[in-house]
Amino acid sequence: RSSPVEIVSSGVTAISAGDSHSLFVKDDGSLWAMGYNLYGALGDDTTNNSSTPLEIVSSGVSAVAAGGLHSLFLTTDGVLWGMGFNGYGQLGDGTTMDSLIPIEIMSSGVVAITAGYQFSHFIMDDGSLWAMGDNSFGALGDGTTTSSSTPVQIVTDSVVAVEAGDYHTFFLTSGGALKSMGDKGHGKLGDGTDT
């Protein structure tokens, strides 16, 4: 499509676009997904692609984040869920096994989420920043290039927003400071270099 096409006529409150799949939340808290599903990123317990929206969760969802081949969503009670490709541990469950259905990652206290190509970040209600998954380019921000299948604390407090790209991440502190980590190709970290 080279021009906008209407998907849902009303009631959508949150959206996210992954590498080959899309997620949205409606005002009743339901989670919907469509697109590529070979690794279960849609969360419907199949590996079938879908060209129309599928309802995955009927209520209680407040935020979504679509990664390369995985998906995250947050419920109103602060629980973090994930599904799809987990080859680098980006679902944070301590394994590298894919999941065709949503699995619980954190049981409470999560306030914001983002998904990179093969990694994930989330913010807790104490302002701490956590990450898991592929760290080949340092996108997790823990000072290493070692991937992690469990959440690793990156910053202890004062983080208010986080956004992941393919292999890099930005986060914002309560004091208004913008920080970045990960792949610098094309100068995307904004620090004056591209190495």
Side-chain angles (χ1 to χ4, degrees):
R1 301 287 304 200
S2 59
S3 58
V5 56
E6 185 174 284
I7 309 302
V8 178
S9 60
S10 63
V12 176
T13 59
I15 56 175
S16 186
D19 187 60
S20 300
H21 69 289
S22 308
L23 307 170
F24 65 89
V25 181
K26 296 188 73 173
D27 54 12
D28 60 1
S30 58
L31 170 65
W32 298 73
M34 59 266 193
Y36 186 65
N37 197 31
L38 180 61
Y39 298 96
L42 303 190
D44 68 340
D45 202 20
T46 78
T47 56
N48 301 324
N49 300 337
S50 181
S51 60
T52 57
L54 301 173
E55 185 177 43
I56 308 304
V57 178
S58 60
S59 64
V61 178
S62 58
V64 285
L69 298 167
H70 72 292
S71 302
L72 304 177
F73 66 90
L74 185 61
T75 54
T76 54
D77 53 2
V79 180
L80 174 59
W81 300 80
M83 61 262 196
F85 184 61
N86 195 30
Y88 295 91
Q90 58 264 52
L91 298 185
D93 67 342
T95 78
T96 53
M97 295 178 59
D98 304 341
S99 181
L100 304 182
I101 60 171
I103 57 173
E104 185 178 293
I105 300 169
M106 295 295 289
S107 60
S108 64
V110 179
V111 297
I113 56 176
T114 190
Y117 185 64
Q118 306 291 12
F119 63 92
S120 309
H121 281 78
F122 60 90
I123 301 172
M124 297 292 290
D125 53 13
D126 61 1
S128 59
L129 177 64
W130 298 72
M132 58 266 191
D134 183 17
N135 200 25
S136 302
F137 295 93
L140 300 192
D142 66 347
T144 77
T145 53
T146 303
S147 300
S148 179
S149 63
T150 57
V152 176
Q153 188 176 59
I154 308 304
V155 180
T156 58
D157 58 32
S158 302
V159 178
V160 295
V162 62
E163 184 65 29
D166 269 357
Y167 297 103
H168 68 295
T169 310
F170 279 78
F171 68 89
L172 183 64
T173 69
S174 57
L178 176 64
K179 302 192 178 188
S180 63
M181 57 263 195
D183 178 34
K184 283 189 179 181
H186 309 290
K188 56 183 169 279
L189 296 191
D191 67 348
T193 73
D194 63 359
T195 55

